[in-house]
Amino acid sequence: SSGINAEYGPAQHLQTGEIPPGTFQGLQAPPADFMQPAQVQPQPVAEQPQQCPAVDMSTMQTRIAMSCQSEKYKNNWSELVAMYDIPPRHLLYDVERNYVWVTVPKIASSNMKRLIIKSKFGFASDNPEMRIAMEEPHVFLKKCCLITKEVASEYFTLQRAFTFTFIRNPWTRLYSAFWDKIVSFKSFDDYYHIRKILFIAREWSWEEVRHDDKVKLAAETITFSEFLTMLAKTDAENYNDHWKPWFLLTQPCMIHYNYIGYLEDFENSFNFVHEKVFSDLQVNIEPKYTNSSTTSEVIAAYRAVPQALLDSVYSKYEDDFKIGGYSKDIDCIGKELTLTG
């Protein structure tokens, strides 16, 4: 096979992905306790000051272990189940190149899939099939490359591949999801989420939310604060995947990642993955893919939200903030991350 061909085991260093050879030699089956949280002894980590730079990568694995051992998961069965419910629709596995990419909606998901399609299939830009693939990369890759439910259930086998994902500031991810799925695509899921916002945030009756014409008219007036109110009053494990917490989608208590890249530093993050699994291919990132859009408009939207509501929403994504080293401070949105490690 081309690209990376070494077997990978549980990550020793998230940044380098260098795994000692022979990790799985002679190992025939997963250990009896493989469904338990990653057995990484958490070390005391000094509380990060409210500043913009992210934590260095060397602390990320420790923070994951601390989140996995949190009492809030041990004492809440529904959240515990959600934490170990690996969603196969987000596991993209390339057998030939021996990698697993755990995709997360609104974190370079579509853009990265387009790059993989170009590299994997080599269609000419004027090829009709290529145009379809570029318009619907999720649908196209689902036909060829997603891990089946049966394979996904074999958790231990995933550790034999180079496994990676990306992380993003939850504040910018939520705003992107709101704009993409609530403002721009109001027919998303047959207005289900618009109806849910109206029911929860505006306290519409069941009769009102079933009235299609009223819902479509009201959809034009949904505010960002109302979207956040819906999140604050809904259990995170029941969120749509486009705004479900990164921690619940990536399952870091189950999956040991060899690399976790930052969307805010996507050019370098992609280059690292490219070197690991696409080093034989000439694949360049188009300029519009190298950074996420984080403008003053995003900051202004959050400043209009009551602090109590922000605190409530933050609590839903606290693991994401802590693991990625992101600040709760709204003024840090869009600032360059200082990445070390």
Side-chain angles (χ1 to χ4, degrees):
S1 61
S2 57
I4 190 168
N5 55 25
E7 287 196 338
Y8 282 84
Q12 301 297 318
H13 301 286
L14 288 173
Q15 177 74 17
T16 65
E18 297 299 330
I19 307 302
T23 300
F24 289 90
Q25 188 172 9
L27 200 53
Q28 302 300 320
D33 62 348
F34 82 99
M35 286 292 288
Q36 298 302 315
Q39 297 301 308
V40 178
Q41 185 62 37
Q43 300 296 323
V45 178
E47 190 67 28
Q48 288 295 113
Q50 292 299 308
Q51 58 186 9
C52 303
V55 298
D56 62 275
M57 290 291 287
S58 64
T59 67
M60 192 176 288
Q61 193 172 17
T62 296
R63 288 178 178 268
I64 287 174
M66 293 175 70
S67 291
C68 292
Q69 297 178 27
S70 170
E71 291 297 322
K72 73 177 180 179
Y73 294 113
K74 294 179 181 179
N75 298 326
N76 186 321
W77 176 247
S78 62
E79 289 191 354
L80 184 64
V81 170
M83 189 168 66
Y84 288 111
D85 180 22
I86 297 178
R89 63 187 174 278
H90 293 304
L91 292 169
L92 195 152
Y93 180 40
D94 190 317
V95 178
E96 294 179 354
R97 294 182 177 276
N98 194 32
Y99 72 79
V100 172
W101 169 35
V102 181
T103 70
V104 180
K106 308 313 301 176
I107 306 186
S109 180
S110 297
N111 298 336
M112 187 73 175
K113 286 178 180 177
R114 291 188 179 100
L115 292 171
I116 288 176
I117 289 171
K118 290 179 181 179
S119 66
K120 187 173 180 66
F121 299 97
F123 295 139
S125 59
D126 58 349
N127 185 306
E129 192 171 2
M130 181 60 155
R131 288 198 294 270
I132 295 174
M134 291 297 100
E135 292 174 359
E136 299 182 324
H138 306 291
V139 176
F140 188 87
L141 285 179
K142 185 177 181 179
K143 297 177 180 178
C144 73
C145 311
L146 288 181
I147 288 180
T148 64
K149 186 174 183 180
E150 290 73 25
V151 174
S153 66
E154 296 291 338
Y155 152 75
F156 204 62
T157 66
L158 303 184
Q159 304 311 290
R160 298 175 185 268
F162 175 74
T163 305
F164 69 94
T165 190
F166 300 100
I167 194 168
R168 180 183 188 179
N169 187 324
W171 290 141
T172 62
R173 180 176 173 234
L174 286 178
Y175 188 78
S176 176
F178 167 73
W179 187 259
D180 186 30
K181 298 302 179 184
I182 303 300
V183 176
S184 301
F185 296 93
K186 297 184 179 67
S187 62
F188 174 60
D189 280 359
D190 193 29
Y191 285 79
Y192 171 79
H193 299 288
I194 297 295
R195 298 176 199 273
K196 191 171 182 179
I197 291 172
L198 294 172
F199 182 75
I200 293 176
R202 295 193 184 177
E203 299 183 342
W204 279 29
S205 67
W206 281 112
E207 185 64 31
E208 288 175 307
V209 297
R210 287 198 296 265
H211 196 294
D212 290 348
D213 291 339
K214 287 185 177 180
V215 169
K216 291 179 181 179
L217 185 63
E220 301 293 333
T221 64
I222 296 293
T223 68
F224 187 47
S225 288
E226 289 174 328
F227 170 69
L228 295 181
T229 298
M230 183 264 289
L231 298 182
K233 295 184 177 182
T234 304
D235 292 335
E237 59 267 24
N238 294 324
Y239 285 178
N240 177 274
D241 288 351
H242 287 84
W243 45 81
K244 182 174 287 187
W246 176 92
F247 186 75
L248 294 180
L249 285 175
T250 58
Q251 308 294 331
C253 303
M254 281 276 288
I255 301 176
H256 296 273
Y257 287 92
N258 302 110
Y259 182 70
I260 298 176
Y262 280 96
L263 179 70
E264 291 82 1
D265 191 38
F266 186 62
E267 184 171 8
N268 287 327
S269 296
F270 174 77
N271 287 339
F272 183 88
V273 172
H274 175 269
E275 181 63 26
K276 286 291 181 182
V277 296
F278 301 117
S279 59
D280 59 314
L281 299 175
Q282 294 297 320
V283 181
N284 298 316
I285 305 174
E286 296 181 29
K288 65 179 180 178
Y289 296 165
T290 59
N291 219 333
S292 56
S293 176
T294 52
T295 65
S296 57
E297 178 185 354
V298 182
I299 296 177
Y302 276 103
R303 285 179 174 167
V305 177
Q307 186 60 48
L309 178 54
L310 286 179
D311 292 341
S312 181
V313 173
Y314 172 82
S315 69
K316 304 285 188 176
Y317 298 87
E318 188 172 3
D319 290 309
D320 297 7
F321 278 99
K322 289 184 175 179
I323 290 170
Y326 294 105
S327 174
K328 181 182 178 181
D329 188 352
I330 298 301
D331 289 328
C332 284
I333 294 176
K335 300 292 179 66
E336 290 287 333
L337 291 173
T338 300
L339 302 179
T340 61

